[in-house]
Amino acid sequence: MTDSADAPKSRQPRKRLHYGEGREALLNAAVRVVARGGLRKLTYRAVAEEAGVTHGLVVHHFGSRDALIEEALAHTIRTSLSTSALEPGTGKVADFSTGLSDMVTADPDTQAFQYELLLESRRRPELLPQLRALYDQYFEATQRELNRMLPAGADQAMTRLVFAALDGLVLHQLVLGEPEVTDAALEQLRSLLRLLDANGGSASGKAGA
């Protein structure tokens, strides 16, 4: 397949890649293709063109479209928390999710890919185990940081509430832009967490020791 006349000039020409390098390039390309056009646009040729490699390399690495989808999802699971603002690790409310809006701005494709797969899992339940694994990591990271911040810690309900607020802000910024709105909303969330911190209250509303 030859490159189209209107292909972006920045796209790299096809090249021979080592196994690991080629696989990584294809997974990143699949994420970008889905983020821009949804799963319906995910084809061998679209991924190969996006990655700047030959069509046959996609077949060689993945064998089927379903395998490519599952591997790309696993790839986002491995990389998403490394760029996440969920767990700064300081235990300071002021540091909680400080880089969230920057993360969305810097890597919108990964976020869009994950939301596309979440919706697709309603039609393809076989995707649910990996999506649950991804969100379990998010929940666990959120709970660990809340436990550092709050004297009495955070239970599951509080963790889900806080993460749902963060997840909603990511989705809104992804669709509507306005990172400044995300930042303002996060400061309000931190204000609520400061109240719990100051009062020694637990996530379930009981007073801390």
Side-chain angles (χ1 to χ4, degrees):
M1 180 178 67
T2 58
D3 290 333
S4 61
D6 58 349
K9 294 181 180 179
S10 61
R11 183 167 293 160
Q12 296 297 315
R14 292 172 182 159
K15 54 188 175 182
R16 185 179 297 278
L17 300 172
H18 298 298
Y19 179 83
E21 182 186 1
R23 188 179 186 84
E24 187 81 3
L26 291 172
L27 291 172
N28 288 329
V31 168
R32 293 193 298 271
V33 168
V34 172
R36 287 199 304 264
L39 277 174
R40 60 191 174 82
K41 295 292 187 180
L42 186 68
T43 65
Y44 288 152
R45 293 191 182 279
V47 172
E49 183 179 356
E50 178 67 29
V53 298
T54 63
H55 166 262
L57 191 61
V58 187
V59 180
H60 170 71
H61 278 296
F62 303 104
S64 72
R65 182 175 179 273
D66 286 347
L68 176 59
I69 292 170
E70 291 178 8
E71 287 292 327
L73 178 56
H75 175 64
T76 66
I77 292 173
R78 291 192 299 270
T79 60
S80 60
L81 280 180
S82 67
T83 60
S84 174
L86 287 176
E87 192 178 8
T90 65
K92 297 178 180 178
V93 174
D95 295 336
F96 185 60
S97 295
T98 53
L100 191 71
S101 63
D102 290 339
M103 179 191 73
V104 180
T105 299
D107 189 17
D109 288 348
T110 295
Q111 310 307 317
F113 176 85
Q114 291 178 6
Y115 288 125
E116 286 283 347
L117 268 290
L118 281 170
L119 292 174
E120 183 66 16
S121 70
R122 298 182 70 247
R123 296 177 288 272
R124 297 181 54 184
E126 66 272 17
L127 295 174
L128 274 175
Q130 289 192 81
L131 285 165
R132 286 186 183 277
L134 172 64
Y135 270 76
D136 282 346
Q137 289 189 58
Y138 287 149
F139 297 147
E140 289 165 8
T142 302
Q143 188 165 34
R144 285 193 300 267
E145 196 61 26
L146 289 173
N147 285 340
R148 293 184 185 103
M149 291 187 293
L150 303 178
D155 61 11
Q156 183 185 58
M158 181 63 169
T159 298
R160 293 293 181 95
L161 176 63
V162 171
F163 180 78
L166 299 176
D167 202 28
L169 289 172
V170 169
L171 179 59
H172 290 171
Q173 184 178 331
L174 188 65
V175 175
L176 303 175
E178 303 176 330
E180 69 281 1
V181 174
T182 300
D183 291 337
L186 284 171
E187 189 50 45
Q188 290 296 317
L189 176 60
R190 292 186 200 105
S191 295
L192 296 175
L193 293 173
R194 288 187 186 99
L195 290 175
L196 286 174
D197 184 17
N199 293 331
S202 71
S204 59
K206 299 178 181 178

